Amino acid sequence: MNEACHTMNHGEVLNADKTEYPLFHAVLYGDRVSTAKFSKRLSCSVKHLPLRIEFTYEYDTFKAVEKGIVADPTLVLDGEIFLEGLVQAEAITEAFEKRLKENT
């Protein structure tokens, strides 16, 4: 399942077939509804970028607090808090474009 604009499954890799793209590891913290909305918004807004993202979800509030997470949902990318709250698709795209530029 690699269609655009869908709620990502736990363990799914966006753009998995593009093995030449860099792979990011993303953990979405929060409740099931907000993380599902965020993952769908994220899949729509970055599917065209030259990157792959492996998704996992963490619904345990205590684990989120241990990581310093205060907003629901929060996207942790490669171990760092990357985006907090249910941000707009444009902000997601801009954040990932910036990250890609930093990595080149």
Side-chain angles (χ1 to χ4, degrees), residues 1 7 16 27 34 40 42 51 53-54 56 58 64 69 76 79 96 101:
M1 178 173 174
T7 300
V27 181
S34 65
K40 184 173 184 176
L42 195 151
L51 55 77
I53 305 172
E54 179 183 23
T56 57
E58 182 55 69
I69 293 167
V76 172
F96 274 94
K101 284 179 186 173

Side-chain angles (χ1 to χ4, degrees), residues 68-97:
I69 293 167
V70 295
D72 197 16
T74 292
L75 177 67
V76 172
L77 192 66
D78 292 338
E80 297 177 10
I81 294 175
F82 188 64
L83 293 167
E84 295 178 290
L86 194 57
V87 297
Q88 295 299 315
E90 295 81 13
I92 295 170
T93 303
E94 289 170 9
F96 274 94
E97 287 172 342

Side-chain angles (χ1 to χ4, degrees), residues 4-99:
C5 300
H6 66 283
T7 300
M8 302 295 292
N9 294 314
H10 184 82
E12 182 177 351
V13 177
L14 182 69
N15 292 332
D17 57 330
K18 307 289 187 181
T19 56
E20 69 276 12
Y21 292 172
L23 177 64
F24 295 96
H25 299 279
V27 181
L28 270 170
Y29 288 84
D31 64 77
R32 292 180 187 276
V33 173
S34 65
T35 56
K37 287 179 183 176
F38 191 102
S39 77
K40 184 173 184 176
R41 193 172 288 181
L42 195 151
S43 73
C44 288
S45 58
V46 301
K47 68 181 181 290
H48 66 286
L49 296 177
L51 55 77
R52 294 175 296 148
I53 305 172
E54 179 183 23
F55 278 87
T56 57
Y57 293 90
E58 182 55 69
Y59 305 115
D60 186 323
T61 303
F62 295 111
K63 288 183 181 179
V65 170
E66 287 175 4
K67 296 278 188 187
I69 293 167
V70 295
D72 197 16
T74 292
L75 177 67
V76 172
L77 192 66
D78 292 338
E80 297 177 10
I81 294 175
F82 188 64
L83 293 167
E84 295 178 290
L86 194 57
V87 297
Q88 295 299 315
E90 295 81 13
I92 295 170
T93 303
E94 289 170 9
F96 274 94
E97 287 172 342
K98 182 179 177 187
R99 177 60 63 99

